[in-house]
Amino acid sequence: MTTAALAEELKVDPKTAERWVATGRPPYARTRQAIAAKLGESERYLWPDAVGKERREQVSESELLHVYPHRSSVPFDLWDRLLDQATEHVDMLVYVGMFMTEKPNLLGTLREKAASGARVRLAFGDRDCSAVMQRSLDEGIGEHTISAKIDQALAFFRPLSDVPGIEIRTHGTVLYNSLYRFDEEMIVNPHVYGKLASHAPALHLRRLDSGDLFNTYADSFDAVWSAAASHTW
């Protein structure tokens, strides 16, 4: 979109719109919101310094919708709603994540999402990495138990391996959190030493333009994803 076209859309002087680009001078808050909506981008992406630290912290608090004492406490209908309504992003960062397979027709739903233009990224643990084996020992279930569970999960998702729009990778990072992103909402499952992931808390987040909390976890996913390896069967 040209600055002239944007100025016309917002009913402002073209020179004003030109200054936003040429000088980096941010518009007023209401105008920033209108521009972000027109361009399909977040305010924070377009003007990372326009919102003060105190305001970002206030907004970030509002990104936290609910805290569940255990991941297993997250209502089944919430998982269903998040997946069913996602149109752009479905991201999953786990070691295993087998509980997700309990959703009926999960593979078919992910195929449909990808066919409709959503980007589906599934990151599982590398069964042979030291981090996975250590996690298995920390949970007191034996060194290779999680590795075997990863094999089971990958076997389940294998039919999606050649579906356009769906990528499956494996990673060897120390997994501080399991992440499940559905467009602008996310379930974060922080890991607790000695506890199964299902027994650890879960945070339900919704992204707000000027907030930092959702983006902190989204950036973490991207960092792991960029270093992960495409899985081959």
Side-chain angles (χ1 to χ4, degrees), residues 27-76:
Y28 291 115
R30 181 176 297 179
T31 305
R32 290 200 303 268
Q33 294 170 6
I35 295 172
K38 292 290 183 185
L39 300 182
E41 290 286 358
S42 69
E43 273 189 77
R44 187 174 181 273
Y45 173 78
L46 294 170
W47 300 282
D49 300 321
V51 181
K53 179 182 178 182
E54 182 176 349
R55 175 58 179 162
R56 289 200 304 272
E57 291 176 351
Q58 291 173 345
V59 173
S60 295
E61 291 178 8
S62 298
E63 290 185 298
L64 178 58
L65 299 182
H66 197 86
V67 178
Y68 297 93
H70 313 291
R71 191 203 66 203
S72 56
S73 303
V74 179
F76 290 119

Side-chain angles (χ1 to χ4, degrees), residues 109-161:
T109 300
L110 293 177
R111 284 193 187 94
E112 292 172 3
K113 297 295 177 184
S116 298
R119 184 182 186 189
V120 180
R121 298 183 293 178
L122 309 176
F124 299 92
D126 177 349
R127 69 174 320 283
D128 296 319
C129 76
S130 59
V132 164
M133 295 180 186
Q134 185 60 52
R135 178 59 190 272
S136 199
L137 290 172
D138 292 344
E139 291 187 1
I141 55 177
E143 183 177 11
H144 301 291
T145 302
I146 291 182
S147 297
K149 291 181 178 180
I150 291 172
D151 291 341
Q152 182 183 2
L154 287 170
F156 177 87
F157 285 98
R158 183 172 184 172
L160 302 178
S161 60

Side-chain angles (χ1 to χ4, degrees), residues 5 11 106 205 230:
K11 307 303 181 187
L106 175 65
L205 308 181
S230 294

